[in-house]
């Protein structure tokens, strides 16, 4: 992760790249690092990113790389938003976490160009 850590991140999230307000290249990855006891899902510009398009090599980091064959092939110039919803791994599903009010949500904006 580059830059300095934000003090406004919810407890499950360790860091994001890009950070709030940062400028990125159209092909830049979106990365969320989180604590080991949690899992989560990433939404970009109100579009839930399918699990099969997420790289999760360490189980404590989600990486989305825009590229051919993915829902987002590159980021268009202008503002974008990302949302990471996290919940304890002890919950069996997103729905169970939501019903049990165990979701933690963080939304941030970044720019391209």
């Amino acid at each position: 992760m580059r830059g300095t850590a934000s003090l406004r991140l919810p407890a499950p999230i360790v860091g994001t790249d890009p950070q709030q307000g940062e400028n990125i290249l159209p092909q830049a990855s979106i990365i969320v690092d989180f604590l080991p006891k949690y899992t989560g899902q990433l939404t970009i510009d109100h579009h839930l990113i399918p699990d099969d398009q997420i790289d999760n090599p360490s189980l404590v980091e989600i990486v989305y790389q825009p590229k051919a064959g993915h829902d987002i092939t590159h980021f268009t110039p202008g503002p974008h938003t990302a949302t990471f919803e996290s919940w304890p791994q002890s919950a069996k599903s997103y729905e169970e976490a939501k019903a049990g009010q165990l979701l933690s949500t963080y939304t941030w904006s970044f720019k391209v160009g």
Side-chain angles (χ1 to χ4, degrees):
M1 315 272 344
R2 58 190 163 144
T4 56
S6 170
L7 300 176
R8 297 188 188 131
L9 297 173
I13 298 177
V14 175
T16 64
D17 189 10
Q19 294 182 18
Q20 173 65 36
E22 193 169 355
N23 286 309
I24 65 170
L25 297 172
Q27 69 278 12
S29 295
I30 305 300
I31 303 169
V32 180
D33 289 326
F34 52 95
L35 296 174
K37 297 179 200 175
Y38 293 87
T39 191
Q41 63 186 23
L42 180 64
T43 301
I44 300 174
D45 295 333
H46 307 288
H47 180 81
L48 179 62
I49 302 300
D51 286 342
D52 64 354
Q53 295 182 23
I54 295 286
D55 292 327
N56 195 351
S58 66
L59 300 179
V60 294
E61 180 177 75
I62 285 182
V63 178
Y64 179 73
Q65 176 70 53
K67 61 184 174 183
H70 279 188
D71 290 3
I72 300 171
T73 58
H74 67 283
F75 293 111
T76 57
H80 296 272
T81 60
T83 299
F84 184 68
E85 293 177 285
S86 56
W87 60 91
Q89 288 181 354
S90 58
K92 292 183 171 113
S93 65
Y94 170 84
E95 291 76 15
E96 181 181 301
K98 187 174 182 179
Q101 299 182 336
L102 300 173
L103 288 179
S104 178
T105 302
Y106 178 65
T107 300
W108 72 103
S109 300
F110 56 92
K111 296 177 231 165
V112 174

